[in-house]
Amino acid sequence: FDTTVLEDQSEMLSTYKLETGSSLLLLLENPGPIVLHATINDRSASDAPRPAARSKELAHRVSSIEVSAKCFKDQGWGNAKSALFLTLKRGDGDVLLRKNLYGTYRGQDYPYGEQPPAIAFTENDDMVSLAEPGCFYQMEYRVGAGGGHKITVEDWVVKISLVSSSCTEPSDVVHFQTGAQTTRLRRFG
């Protein structure tokens, strides 16, 4: 609790109809949540995590994170490789923590179908407790290397709530979208 005393500002006090010698208590709180939003339709062949929406560097500590996706699916046949990640990085880009949110779509550890459940991280989870000012969050996804892999994600949302904030209006919203159609050429003969 900061009890900083401001210099005597009698002009300001009279503007607000406060008498000289009165105390004025200002309550400051952190801004509202940071919202990351992604819609993905990608056929790029890669086993490496690909970047999606990213937050600015944090100026405040994090109290909780909520994750949801309306739809998450792959090509529906062949090898299962598609996955969604939330990654916490230092300001220089070094990875502090990368979390595979649901497992590999259609993999042995994936029971959800196309509508995975919402996930909540609290101060007891490393995804929240390791975050400090100067870090940032990056949504990432994996398509899968090899032929024919595809990932589709609709309305993937990560809501990052900050410590000491009761604001519900987002302070920052970041949108990310892929989906430029890829044309495959087939040669006959």
Side-chain angles (χ1 to χ4, degrees), residues 51-153:
R54 154 200 171 157
S55 73
K56 295 178 183 173
E57 289 186 11
L58 300 170
H60 307 280
R61 297 205 50 95
V62 173
S63 64
S64 65
I65 300 173
E66 299 169 32
V67 180
S68 63
K70 181 179 176 184
C71 176
F72 166 43
K73 62 184 180 178
D74 69 1
Q75 71 281 354
W77 56 270
N79 292 330
K81 294 187 177 182
S82 294
L84 301 176
F85 303 93
L86 183 59
T87 303
L88 175 63
K89 297 182 178 184
R90 289 189 175 93
D92 62 7
D94 286 346
V95 173
L96 281 170
L97 180 66
R98 177 176 285 128
K99 172 83 174 154
N100 185 332
L101 295 169
Y102 299 109
T104 300
Y105 187 83
R106 289 188 305 113
Q108 290 179 334
D109 60 340
Y110 187 84
Y112 311 115
E114 292 183 9
Q115 297 175 333
I119 299 172
F121 296 102
T122 66
E123 66 275 354
N124 297 323
D125 297 301
D126 287 345
M127 188 58 71
V128 171
S129 65
L130 293 176
E132 13 183 81
C135 293
F136 65 92
Y137 287 99
Q138 175 87 58
M139 298 168 86
E140 297 177 328
Y141 64 96
R142 180 178 61 223
V143 179
H149 290 284
K150 177 182 177 183
I151 186 172
T152 301
V153 186

Side-chain angles (χ1 to χ4, degrees), residues 4 10-11 22 30 33 52 63 113 133 136 145 169 171 181 186:
T4 303
S10 53
E11 184 177 313
S22 296
N30 288 337
S63 64
F136 65 92
E169 188 70 29
S171 61
Q181 290 191 349
R186 285 198 168 157

